[in-house]
């Protein structure tokens, strides 16, 4: 039995692009960062439900995915 790979905390679990999470950048570099954009962002339950179970609480959704999810359906 193989162990599932740990999600990359620097990548969005939805699109795989860099999520630019200020908290993760600070952890990686040791350089203090300002508050992350996500602290004041709203995430719908539908968007959060799209995050794979193994990535929940491990990797941040990127701003692009959050903005796209907030747009009204055309």
């Amino acid at each position: 039995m193989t162990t599932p790979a740990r999600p990359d905390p620097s990548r969005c679990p939805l699109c795989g692009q860099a999520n630019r999470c200020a908290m993760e950048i600070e952890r990686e570099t040791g350089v203090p960062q300002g508050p992350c954009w996500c602290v004041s962002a709203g995430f719908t339950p539908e968007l959060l439900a799209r995050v794979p179970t193994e990535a929940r609480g491990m990797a941040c959704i990127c701003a692009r995915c959050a903005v796209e999810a907030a747009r009204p359906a055309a």
Side-chain angles (χ1 to χ4, degrees):
M1 183 174 178
T2 60
T3 303
R6 177 181 154 94
D8 182 345
S10 69
R11 302 249 164 229
C12 175
L14 301 178
C15 71
Q17 296 300 309
N19 57 27
R20 305 298 302 154
C21 174
M23 293 178 280
E24 183 60 21
I25 292 169
E26 185 170 325
R27 188 191 69 73
E28 285 181 353
T29 65
V31 177
Q33 303 289 307
C36 191
W37 67 272
C38 68
V39 175
S40 61
F43 298 96
T44 65
E46 294 80 17
L47 178 62
L48 295 174
R50 292 177 40 209
V51 175
T53 303
E54 64 275 5
R56 292 180 185 173
M58 304 292 285
C60 296
I61 296 168
C62 71
R64 186 184 69 149
C65 285
V67 168
E68 287 179 9
R71 284 191 185 131

